Amino acid sequence: MERLRLDDPPQIGPYITLARLDAEGTAATVPERRLIARSADGDRTVIACLPRIGADPARWAVEAEGARRLSIPGLLPVTEAGGTAGFPWHAAQYVPALPLPAVLEAQGGPLPEAVVRSLGAALAQTLATAHAQGVTHAGLCPAAVLVSAEGPRLTCFGAVRSAAADSEQRAGLAGLDSGSLAPEQAQGGRPRPLGDVYALGAVLSYASTGHTVPERDELPASLRQLITACLARDPAMRPQAHQVLGDLTSSAPGTAPQGTVLDTAAAFPLPALVVAALARQSAQVLAAELPTLLPPGTDG
């Protein structure tokens, strides 16, 4: 749980902000602003999301409303959306969760291959379900993946799509997405499912190596061919999401099959250091006291 900054709003709709979800210094790689907030009566704690400073708030609000209407397992459910044209927001019920970059920080480096496989399988299943419904996520990157004890949840739905629609913002998208943006989308093309597969390859690379644009030899041998295929510049050379899922749920050489979201009896595998980091965040949120908001116009 990260401290609020001076430019963070003290209140988002009916919720009072408690902390940032993302660490200081990561703003350039997070497609939207995410804060932990609580209702004034203390009954509800949420992850509240706002558009990045400089983004088109109206376009972001359209994407937020679209996400609220979706019901796809593996997407963080958007339970509320509101605000004004200049200050839109949406919220999801809070569960202890860390953005994937914070997971690697807690772990002290890349994740074990078994965890990468389970993470990738869960994300691939979510994307395959979305694609079967004619939905493209269009905002997948390491920061968009929230990891909880129950598995990963995708956030930032359409955040990159909103930015890609503005030609003036396209030049900054490579930094925003840390290499996760498919080449055809970076050039202004319409977001399509195979663009999500490219981003999934970048996320798997990040989880395996600590960055999204690896040297081929850095990747785990049993994942090298799959990740390289996902990151093909030609969309026609990439597998589809359901094919990625099939590859990841098969056994790696010398290992037992890994439980995924397809196997509800299997717990999502997380390293002990990551479990400890999730427990610390949960304890901090539970112990957090609501700040006292001054009435409008009051100095101090």
Side-chain angles (χ1 to χ4, degrees):
M1 197 166 80
E2 304 293 327
R3 297 182 62 179
L4 294 170
R5 296 189 340 192
L6 291 177
D7 58 351
D8 290 325
Q11 188 163 348
I12 300 171
Y15 300 105
I16 300 171
T17 52
L18 299 175
R20 282 189 159 233
L21 184 64
D22 298 285
E24 186 74 25
T26 62
T29 59
V30 181
E32 58 191 9
R33 292 186 288 164
R34 301 180 296 198
L35 300 104
I36 299 172
R38 184 171 292 152
S39 59
D41 59 13
D43 286 346
R44 291 171 294 162
T45 302
V46 300
I47 297 174
C49 301
L50 307 169
R52 282 168 52 93
I53 294 174
D56 182 341
R59 194 175 294 145
W60 185 91
V62 169
E63 297 291 355
E65 181 59 27
R68 188 181 68 83
R69 296 179 181 182
L70 292 175
S71 179
I72 296 175
L75 291 181
L76 186 70
V78 175
T79 54
E80 299 175 74
T84 63
F87 189 79
W89 58 271
H90 68 73
Q93 182 178 354
Y94 169 77
V95 293
L98 294 171
L100 187 55
V103 169
L104 266 65
E105 182 179 355
Q107 176 68 4
L111 299 174
E113 182 179 338
V115 179
V116 175
R117 279 184 167 269
S118 290
L119 175 76
L123 296 174
Q125 180 176 334
T126 297
L127 292 177
T129 302
H131 296 168
Q133 297 182 21
V135 174
T136 302
H137 182 276
L140 178 57
C141 63
V145 178
L146 294 185
V147 178
S148 73
E150 290 75 35
R153 296 292 180 268
L154 276 179
T155 64
C156 302
F157 181 87
V160 176
R161 172 164 49 201
S162 330
D166 187 337
S167 60
E168 293 181 358
Q169 295 184 32
R170 282 203 296 270
L173 285 177
L176 171 63
D177 276 331
S178 303
S180 302
L181 194 65
E184 67 273 16
Q185 192 175 336
Q187 294 168 5
R190 180 181 176 184
R192 296 186 183 278
L194 288 175
D196 282 347
V197 172
Y198 183 96
L200 177 58
V203 168
L204 292 174
S205 171
Y206 180 84
S208 301
T209 69
H211 50 272
T212 55
V213 187
E215 296 293 335
R216 181 179 170 84
D217 291 345
E218 293 179 88
L219 296 168
S222 67
L223 293 173
R224 191 173 298 153
Q225 183 175 352
L226 175 64
I227 294 176
T228 301
C230 290
L231 292 174
R233 294 190 65 81
D234 181 356
M237 300 300 293
R238 300 172 200 152
Q240 296 185 36
H242 69 86
Q243 294 171 314
V244 177
L245 174 61
D247 193 301
L248 289 169
T249 52
S250 64
S251 296
T255 67
Q258 298 299 322
T260 72
V261 289
L262 297 177
D263 180 4
T264 55
F268 188 76
L270 285 177
L273 290 172
V274 178
V275 173
L278 287 170
R280 284 195 300 272
Q281 184 199 81
S282 179
Q284 290 170 351
V285 170
L286 285 172
E289 296 183 1
L290 289 173
T292 301
L293 297 182
L294 296 174
T298 302
D299 293 333

